[in-house]
Amino acid sequence: MGLYPKAIERLINELAKLPGIGDKTAQRLAFHLIDAPQTDITGLSEALLDMKDKVRLCPRCFSITDGDLCDVCKDPRRDKSVICVVENTRDIFAIERTHEYNGLYHVLHGAISPIEGIGPKDIKARELILRLGEDDVKEVIMATN
């Protein structure tokens, strides 16, 4: 027999799977949600399902989008001759907050790590090389670790 009712145990276990959320934080969130109005719970549930249903990778840069292209790729004011290569999508948002960069991006979705068995075929390196051959790119900025 568990400490909490089964529905709460399940919620705590699911919340604890999120990065940065340990057991105590998961318990705190679960009890917050128990006391939340039904409309808040419905809104959260719908937002999660909507995100999972609509968000996908941009076919050009491999960032995230809910449209045909991401906002950066479809912005005509961007300098298309410069591509900043990043490891993950979160890196784009960090760079964008500086308001200093006006080029395009390419998201690798990882880093080469022979120790972990991750090679060039496991990330979006091939797609970057193909993109460089197709577009009129004059500068590539490597913004990776």
Side-chain angles (χ1 to χ4, degrees), residues 57-122:
L57 296 182
C58 174
R60 185 174 295 157
C61 73
F62 301 98
S63 182
I64 53 174
T65 184
D66 58 3
D68 292 337
L69 294 173
C70 72
D71 291 341
V72 173
C73 284
K74 68 182 176 186
D75 186 346
R77 298 169 295 177
R78 291 288 188 158
D79 181 353
K80 295 180 181 0
S81 70
V82 181
I83 294 180
C84 180
V85 180
V86 296
E87 287 183 26
N88 61 61
T89 304
R90 289 184 309 269
D91 297 330
I92 291 176
F93 297 109
I95 294 168
E96 285 297 297
R97 279 193 297 271
T98 69
H99 302 287
E100 295 294 323
Y101 178 71
N102 192 39
L104 299 178
Y105 294 95
H106 185 87
V107 184
L108 294 173
H109 287 279
I112 295 172
S113 176
I115 292 174
E116 295 176 20
I118 301 171
K121 293 180 181 178
D122 300 311

Side-chain angles (χ1 to χ4, degrees), residues 8-143:
I8 296 172
E9 278 288 337
R10 180 174 176 225
L11 177 60
I12 291 169
N13 289 335
E14 293 301 319
L15 290 169
K17 292 178 183 177
L18 296 170
I21 305 291
D23 288 336
K24 287 189 179 197
T25 301
Q27 290 171 19
R28 192 168 34 256
L29 290 170
F31 281 99
H32 170 78
L33 293 171
I34 289 169
D35 295 332
Q38 183 66 34
T39 55
D40 289 358
I41 301 302
T42 301
L44 176 60
S45 300
E46 289 173 354
L48 287 168
L49 292 171
D50 193 44
M51 178 270 309
K52 200 61 182 161
D53 183 47
K54 293 180 180 174
V55 174
R56 55 192 172 75
L57 296 182
C58 174
R60 185 174 295 157
C61 73
F62 301 98
S63 182
I64 53 174
T65 184
D66 58 3
D68 292 337
L69 294 173
C70 72
D71 291 341
V72 173
C73 284
K74 68 182 176 186
D75 186 346
R77 298 169 295 177
R78 291 288 188 158
D79 181 353
K80 295 180 181 0
S81 70
V82 181
I83 294 180
C84 180
V85 180
V86 296
E87 287 183 26
N88 61 61
T89 304
R90 289 184 309 269
D91 297 330
I92 291 176
F93 297 109
I95 294 168
E96 285 297 297
R97 279 193 297 271
T98 69
H99 302 287
E100 295 294 323
Y101 178 71
N102 192 39
L104 299 178
Y105 294 95
H106 185 87
V107 184
L108 294 173
H109 287 279
I112 295 172
S113 176
I115 292 174
E116 295 176 20
I118 301 171
K121 293 180 181 178
D122 300 311
I123 61 174
K124 302 286 185 199
R126 180 178 177 273
E127 291 82 351
L128 174 61
I129 292 168
L130 291 172
R131 188 173 173 197
L132 295 175
E134 295 170 356
D135 296 336
D136 190 25
V137 178
K138 295 183 175 116
E139 182 179 0
V140 175
I141 301 167
M142 297 300 292

